[in-house]
Amino acid sequence: QVQLVESGGGLVQAGGSLRLSCAASGRTFSSVSMGWFRQAPGKEREFVAAISSSGGSTDFGNSVKGRFTISRDNAKNTVYLQMNSLKPEDTAVYYCARGYYSLPYSRPDEYDYWGQGTQVTVSS
C-alpha cells in the first residue's frame, strides 16, 4: 500500500518562502515520477510541478515558473517543493502525487496515488 504524507504548509507573508515535503512509502518510489498539484476554493485542481524518477527532468506550471523548484531524494523516498516569492494567489491546498511512469507529466490522470494535502496560505 502506497502512502503519501505532505508537510511544511502554513501561513506566510507575500514574498516569503516555504518548502513542502512529501514522504512516500512503498518500494517503487525511485522508479516513478512525482508531482505537486494545488487546489484553491472554488477552483479546479492545478498542476504545479513534476519531477522524473531520476530527478533529471522537471516541469512546472506557468504560474509558478521561476519561483518554485522541485527536487527529490530517492534514498529518503521524499519529494520537495521549494516555493519562493510567494503571492496571495498561491494560496491553496497542495497535494503530492505519485506518477504511473518515470517521466514528469502535468495531467492528474497520469498519477495514481495522492496525499491528503497541506494548506498553504499567503497573506498580502
Side-chain angles (χ1 to χ4, degrees):
Q1 183 70 16
V2 174
Q3 288 189 323
L4 304 175
V5 180
E6 301 100 334
S7 61
L11 174 64
V12 64
Q13 288 189 334
S17 298
L18 280 176
R19 187 175 84 153
L20 304 184
S21 300
C22 174
S25 65
R27 300 178 182 177
T28 60
F29 179 84
S30 62
S31 63
V32 294
S33 64
M34 295 294 294
W36 287 94
F37 292 77
R38 68 186 182 186
Q39 189 165 19
K43 295 188 176 181
E44 293 186 353
R45 189 163 294 192
E46 177 188 13
F47 170 69
V48 176
I51 187 167
S52 64
S53 57
S54 67
S57 180
T58 58
D59 191 19
F60 295 91
N62 289 334
S63 61
V64 307
K65 282 181 180 177
R67 299 187 297 122
F68 291 11
T69 59
I70 186 171
S71 61
R72 65 189 295 162
D73 185 338
N74 286 344
K76 295 182 178 180
N77 277 19
T78 301
V79 62
Y80 306 96
L81 183 69
Q82 178 66 44
M83 306 185 294
N84 299 327
S85 302
L86 283 161
K87 305 175 181 179
E89 51 264 44
D90 294 318
T91 296
V93 177
Y94 284 71
Y95 300 89
C96 75
R98 193 190 78 162
Y100 280 108
Y101 311 112
S102 62
L103 295 177
Y105 291 103
S106 62
R107 299 199 323 264
D109 61 5
E110 298 286 357
Y111 295 83
D112 56 358
Y113 287 95
W114 295 77
Q116 81 288 351
T118 186
Q119 176 71 46
V120 171
T121 302
V122 184
S123 63
S124 57

